Amino acid sequence: MSDKALHDVESVLAAASAARTPLRRASLEQRAGWLEAAADALDGAAEELIPLAHAETHLPLPRLTGELGRTTFQARLFAQGLRSGELAPVHVEPADPDWGMGPKPALRRALVPIGPVLVFAASNFPFAFSVFGGDTASALAAGCPVVVKAHPGHPELSRRTAAVVAAALPEGALGLIEGVEAGVTALRDARIKAVGFTGSTRGGRALFDIAASRPEPIPFYGELGSVNPVVVTPAAWAERGGDIATGWVGSLTLGSGQFCTNPGVVLVPDADAFLKSVELPEPGRMLTSGLEQGYADAVTAVSGRPEVAVAAEGPANEEGVRASVLRVRADVAAADPELLETEMFGPAGLLVEYASTEELTAVLRALPGQLTGTVQAATGDDPLAAEVVELLSDVVGRVVYNDWPTGVTVSGAQHHGGPYPASTAPTTTSVGLHAISRFQRPVTYQGTPESALPGEL
Amino acid sequence: MSDKALHDVESVLAAASAARTPLRRASLEQRAGWLEAAADALDGAAEELIPLAHAETHLPLPRLTGELGRTTFQARLFAQGLRSGELAPVHVEPADPDWGMGPKPALRRALVPIGPVLVFAASNFPFAFSVFGGDTASALAAGCPVVVKAHPGHPELSRRTAAVVAAALPEGALGLIEGVEAGVTALRDARIKAVGFTGSTRGGRALFDIAASRPEPIPFYGELGSVNPVVVTPAAWAERGGDIATGWVGSLTLGSGQFCTNPGVVLVPDADAFLKSVELPEPGRMLTSGLEQGYADAVTAVSGRPEVAVAAEGPANEEGVRASVLRVRADVAAADPELLETEMFGPAGLLVEYASTEELTAVLRALPGQLTGTVQAATGDDPLAAEVVELLSDVVGRVVYNDWPTGVTVSGAQHHGGPYPASTAPTTTSVGLHAISRFQRPVTYQGTPESALPGEL
């Protein structure tokens, strides 16, 4: 990738646009081969890229090694899904003169690429949700050229990843741009036909608004904020309350709490007893100083809401960041939507004590859209479990049962999304094989002979 | 349905919101039964409703009889798809300790209703795209309560249809509101979670903008404008030019041209010869005087573009409406995007003469998104056919081969959508079984025991 292609948004957009037709015409086998070649190239560059990621993000080396493995696994999974045909379903119906509403012509429904995709990379997964993350891999699998707007939290890693991946792909299939201005310019450009975004609600909403107000509005697939509630039922509490508290702290403070699935709200029947098992560790250094500030501001905002108290604080790290637990009664939380909407991105959680099932369900009904919702239920019979699962399923994208929401596996049955503000496109996922459907547009061919049909038909 | 429920938007929204949980908890079998009961009720009211539709829309009785049959067939098709499980797919993955990126928990992906849906009815299909049309049937099939904003072109029919259908459904499953103000109020209401719309680009875009600018933006599934280009290849012209011209006029003037799939642009190698076979009939009375005026304005606007000429006009009907054919050269059309974007909703078409394959493909590449694109190719070998199909597939939702785009069958393989402005949601369809997916939100259940899962899992 030349310096010009890296820095000149017009060159990147022109290259993506020029790649549109050849990528659309490429076979599923070719697309699969490109994804695998890019994954191989990235694995081959691990020794260079992992230390670079560590230097720019402060994330531990073992975590980054695992994340790179997850990233290339994901690309190969899409390749496999293309080869098996699972990701390019075709619906064929022969002509039917006796169809109930009148004679039906022969129809074949297939999926075509939506066109060049703009991907806004995230800071917290410098491999898995960045230059060659899930948005990019799924868009490429769909046959779309991708323009990545690099996250400023790891600029050099972004450049090197783009160079390694682009070299394994056809001309124009992957381009990189940097800076807010370049991102907005690309977002407004008529050649871009869809957008993938992972980040904050505020930033994502601003970009969503631009996408929606274009002369040609385009789908904006934004994965935004979430407080990921955890419900501890009375029966679970009686069975293993201490273990649940310890497990929650582990999930809450993992990676300094910098996960979109961080369980930031926990609903318990007895807050005092719960707090006895809470021991907060010193957090690792956060990704950026901007996130440190945002975290401090969010904790201040939440602890300043009516009847919210600081219940526990851990030791500060060198930058002065500490884990903390705030607490509030369920009846107060249910009546304060802003409280439940405020994501403290970092190692802080809100402990909500409920006095009755009614108070618990009132909080669940007051929640805005969530990526995940967790229920900690008794291992045996738990009368409340099914009701909590059902209530959560109306507001979250993933229900987690007797487990923790951090650690999102990539597979066919995975879903990572949810009602707004968890996502700007609640019927879609940004993780797992279904992510490809965001960038596939159906076309039905009526009465078209095989000689005039595209390859996979 | 009480008078209050009909006229008070707050009552209708409250009833829809109250129906949200019971509808979500209903089994697939129950939903199927409701759709069938509503279809039976509508068929049973045919003798009352068809004359009412005729009086309000001026559409002929046989057409309305066929359309009512199509409408109830469609509802029963969704019921059948629910019973077979086709419309409620579940993806089950057992836990896998050897999964390539680390141990995978047990995951089950299912679909839940998105929530109450607001449907803006269309004027041109008073049954099939109105109160109990495809948007309503697919949303009900998904388990969503529906609020229909009636089209003012057939108010009494809307009220009677709503009363007949609502009586066959659970409380709150279907409500009707009237008037622009009520529609906008409902669109802005937080209880509404998705929107279906069929109508003009201008009206649809205004509503889309409101949906996108809500505090919680919601999916807006708008099926808007389209000029539905037809390409006549030189080989097809040589083989059966006269028949093609006659067929085009038939499709263009069917139902006074009031179809969203009306083939408003035809590309031919020889316009003079084509026009020799063009005989324009007197159109039937249009649906509303507003459409008559809009049609006249659009024809005036297109014929006023540079180098566009009126090539043929048919006899005027009692209201002064006449079919007409305008003509222009392909090189002029390719350079005038506004010309190709102007839908003349009514019995008028634009005849575009191309002098070369390059001129033809330049027009196809300049087209905005389309619901359909048709190729008339030679029945034997036609070297241009595959290329035109491939080019059309990049810009349309349905490619029609040696047939006409009017007459959209409802089935599993159907697709009715396309890039903007054909649709505001280019990955979705408003016709056919896939229409249900617009109102289904995926939820993945992780590690959840059967005792706590919803019924279909």
Side-chain angles (χ1 to χ4, degrees), chain A residues 32-432:
Chain A
W34 292 328
L35 285 168
E36 287 166 345
D40 291 348
L42 208 55
D43 277 337
E47 282 189 28
E48 177 202 352
L49 298 180
I50 289 172
L52 188 52
H54 177 64
E56 290 191 320
T57 65
H58 325 302
L59 293 170
L61 291 170
R63 141 78 195 268
L64 290 165
T65 303
E67 189 185 323
L68 180 58
R70 170 200 171 98
T71 305
T72 54
F73 170 80
Q74 174 171 261
R76 292 188 185 100
L77 201 65
F78 279 110
Q80 196 180 310
L82 291 173
R83 285 223 173 79
S84 73
E86 184 186 351
L87 296 183
V90 169
H91 194 144
V92 178
E93 289 177 345
D96 183 352
D98 302 319
W99 189 239
M101 55 176 279
K104 179 169 72 170
L107 299 177
R108 292 167 187 246
R109 182 182 185 270
L111 302 170
V112 302
I114 199 168
V117 172
L118 175 62
V119 170
F120 287 86
S123 65
N124 59 340
F125 283 90
F127 292 114
F129 287 81
S130 190
V131 174
F132 191 56
D135 283 340
T136 299
S138 56
L140 289 170
C144 302
V146 175
V147 174
V148 177
K149 189 269 177 187
H151 195 281
H154 46 273
E156 192 54 30
L157 176 67
S158 301
R159 289 176 206 129
R160 288 299 303 140
T161 304
V164 167
V165 170
L169 298 175
E171 184 73 26
L174 184 82
L176 188 78
I177 58 176
E178 296 185 49
V180 173
E181 200 186 323
V184 171
T185 300
L187 180 56
R188 292 205 163 110
D189 195 281
R191 289 165 289 191
I192 293 295
K193 299 300 181 187
V195 188
F197 171 91
T198 306
S200 71
T201 302
R202 199 175 137 188
R205 180 60 192 259
L207 296 171
F208 169 88
D209 289 344
I210 294 172
S213 62
R214 292 170 29 133
E216 178 193 359
I218 51 175
F220 184 93
Y221 303 108
E223 191 248 90
L224 314 182
S226 195
V227 299
N228 303 295
V230 176
V231 175
V232 183
T233 69
W237 176 253
E239 184 183 276
R240 57 178 203 286
D243 289 350
I244 291 171
T246 310
W248 177 67
V249 169
S251 182
L252 180 76
T253 59
L254 187 74
S256 303
Q258 299 169 113
F259 294 113
C260 47
T261 54
N262 191 33
V265 168
V266 61
L267 292 129
V268 300
D270 184 339
D272 287 328
F274 189 90
L275 282 163
K276 284 186 187 137
S277 299
V278 168
E279 267 188 65
L280 296 170
E282 178 185 323
R285 185 169 166 191
M286 292 188 75
L287 291 156
T288 66
S289 55
L291 281 179
E292 284 169 3
Q293 190 57 52
Y295 171 66
D297 292 348
V299 172
T300 303
V302 171
S303 59
R305 308 286 310 170
E307 302 191 50
V308 176
V310 176
E313 283 193 312
N317 68 12
E318 278 185 31
E319 289 74 31
V321 176
R322 58 177 88 233
S324 44
V325 174
L326 313 181
R327 89 181 258 188
V328 70
R329 290 201 325 275
D331 57 337
V332 175
D336 185 355
E338 259 186 71
L339 175 63
L340 295 170
E341 272 171 31
T342 308
E343 183 182 6
M344 298 179 281
F345 194 78
L350 181 66
L351 180 61
V352 180
E353 183 179 81
Y354 61 89
S356 64
T357 306
E358 290 65 38
E359 279 196 10
L360 169 62
T361 57
V363 172
L364 297 182
R365 289 184 198 279
L367 284 167
Q370 301 292 327
L371 291 168
T372 72
T374 297
V375 54
Q376 293 287 345
T379 44
D381 196 40
D382 190 332
L384 206 53
E387 185 176 348
V388 172
V389 166
E390 212 278 336
L391 283 170
L392 285 175
S393 75
D394 200 31
V395 75
V396 312
R398 178 164 54 107
V399 175
V400 179
Y401 195 96
N402 284 352
D403 201 347
W404 300 102
T406 42
V408 185
T409 200
V410 178
S411 74
Q414 187 56 284
H415 182 69
H416 192 62
Y420 186 86
S423 163
T424 58
T427 65
T428 68
T429 181
S430 71
V431 174

Side-chain angles (χ1 to χ4, degrees), chain B residues 5-177:
Chain B
L6 270 171
H7 296 293
D8 175 21
V9 61
E10 173 55 32
S11 303
V12 171
L13 288 169
S17 184
R20 178 179 174 150
T21 300
L23 260 64
R24 186 176 79 239
R25 294 184 179 182
S27 68
L28 299 177
E29 175 58 37
Q30 281 174 303
R31 285 191 224 157
W34 292 328
L35 285 167
E36 287 166 344
D40 292 347
L42 209 54
D43 278 338
E47 282 190 28
E48 176 200 353
L49 298 181
I50 290 173
L52 189 52
H54 177 64
E56 290 191 319
T57 66
H58 325 301
L59 293 171
L61 291 170
R63 143 76 196 269
L64 290 166
T65 303
E67 189 186 323
L68 179 58
R70 170 201 172 99
T71 304
T72 54
F73 170 80
Q74 174 172 261
R76 292 190 185 99
L77 201 65
F78 279 110
Q80 195 180 312
L82 290 173
R83 285 225 173 79
S84 73
E86 183 186 351
L87 296 183
V90 169
H91 194 143
V92 178
E93 288 177 346
D96 183 353
D98 302 320
W99 189 239
M101 55 174 280
K104 178 169 73 171
L107 299 177
R108 292 167 187 245
R109 181 183 186 271
L111 302 170
V112 302
I114 199 168
V117 172
L118 176 62
V119 170
F120 287 86
S123 65
N124 59 340
F125 283 91
F127 292 114
F129 287 81
S130 191
V131 174
F132 191 57
D135 283 340
T136 299
S138 56
L140 289 171
C144 302
V146 176
V147 174
V148 177
K149 190 269 176 188
H151 195 282
H154 46 273
E156 193 52 32
L157 176 67
S158 300
R159 289 175 207 130
R160 288 300 304 142
T161 304
V164 167
V165 170
L169 298 175
E171 184 74 27
L174 183 81
L176 188 77
I177 58 177

Side-chain angles (χ1 to χ4, degrees), chain B residues 29-367:
Chain B
E29 175 58 37
Q30 281 174 303
R31 285 191 224 157
W34 292 328
L35 285 167
E36 287 166 344
D40 292 347
L42 209 54
D43 278 338
E47 282 190 28
E48 176 200 353
L49 298 181
I50 290 173
L52 189 52
H54 177 64
E56 290 191 319
T57 66
H58 325 301
L59 293 171
L61 291 170
R63 143 76 196 269
L64 290 166
T65 303
E67 189 186 323
L68 179 58
R70 170 201 172 99
T71 304
T72 54
F73 170 80
Q74 174 172 261
R76 292 190 185 99
L77 201 65
F78 279 110
Q80 195 180 312
L82 290 173
R83 285 225 173 79
S84 73
E86 183 186 351
L87 296 183
V90 169
H91 194 143
V92 178
E93 288 177 346
D96 183 353
D98 302 320
W99 189 239
M101 55 174 280
K104 178 169 73 171
L107 299 177
R108 292 167 187 245
R109 181 183 186 271
L111 302 170
V112 302
I114 199 168
V117 172
L118 176 62
V119 170
F120 287 86
S123 65
N124 59 340
F125 283 91
F127 292 114
F129 287 81
S130 191
V131 174
F132 191 57
D135 283 340
T136 299
S138 56
L140 289 171
C144 302
V146 176
V147 174
V148 177
K149 190 269 176 188
H151 195 282
H154 46 273
E156 193 52 32
L157 176 67
S158 300
R159 289 175 207 130
R160 288 300 304 142
T161 304
V164 167
V165 170
L169 298 175
E171 184 74 27
L174 183 81
L176 188 77
I177 58 177
E178 296 184 50
V180 173
E181 199 186 322
V184 170
T185 299
L187 180 56
R188 292 205 164 109
D189 194 280
R191 289 165 289 190
I192 292 294
K193 299 301 182 187
V195 187
F197 171 92
T198 306
S200 71
T201 301
R202 197 173 138 191
R205 181 60 191 260
L207 297 172
F208 169 88
D209 289 344
I210 293 172
S213 62
R214 291 169 31 132
E216 176 192 359
I218 50 174
F220 184 93
Y221 303 108
E223 191 249 89
L224 314 182
S226 194
V227 298
N228 302 296
V230 175
V231 175
V232 182
T233 69
W237 176 252
E239 186 182 275
R240 56 178 205 286
D243 289 349
I244 292 172
T246 310
W248 177 67
V249 168
S251 183
L252 181 76
T253 59
L254 188 73
S256 303
Q258 300 169 112
F259 294 113
C260 48
T261 54
N262 191 33
V265 168
V266 60
L267 293 128
V268 300
D270 185 339
D272 286 329
F274 190 90
L275 283 164
K276 284 186 188 139
S277 300
V278 167
E279 267 188 66
L280 296 170
E282 177 185 323
R285 184 168 167 191
M286 292 187 75
L287 291 156
T288 66
S289 54
L291 282 178
E292 285 169 4
Q293 189 57 52
Y295 170 67
D297 292 348
V299 172
T300 303
V302 171
S303 60
R305 308 287 309 170
E307 302 191 49
V308 176
V310 176
E313 284 193 312
N317 67 12
E318 278 185 31
E319 290 74 31
V321 177
R322 57 178 88 233
S324 47
V325 174
L326 313 180
R327 88 182 258 188
V328 69
R329 291 202 323 276
D331 57 336
V332 175
D336 185 355
E338 260 186 71
L339 175 62
L340 295 170
E341 272 171 31
T342 309
E343 182 182 6
M344 297 178 282
F345 195 79
L350 181 66
L351 180 62
V352 180
E353 182 180 82
Y354 61 90
S356 65
T357 305
E358 290 65 38
E359 279 195 10
L360 169 63
T361 57
V363 172
L364 297 183
R365 288 183 199 280
L367 284 167

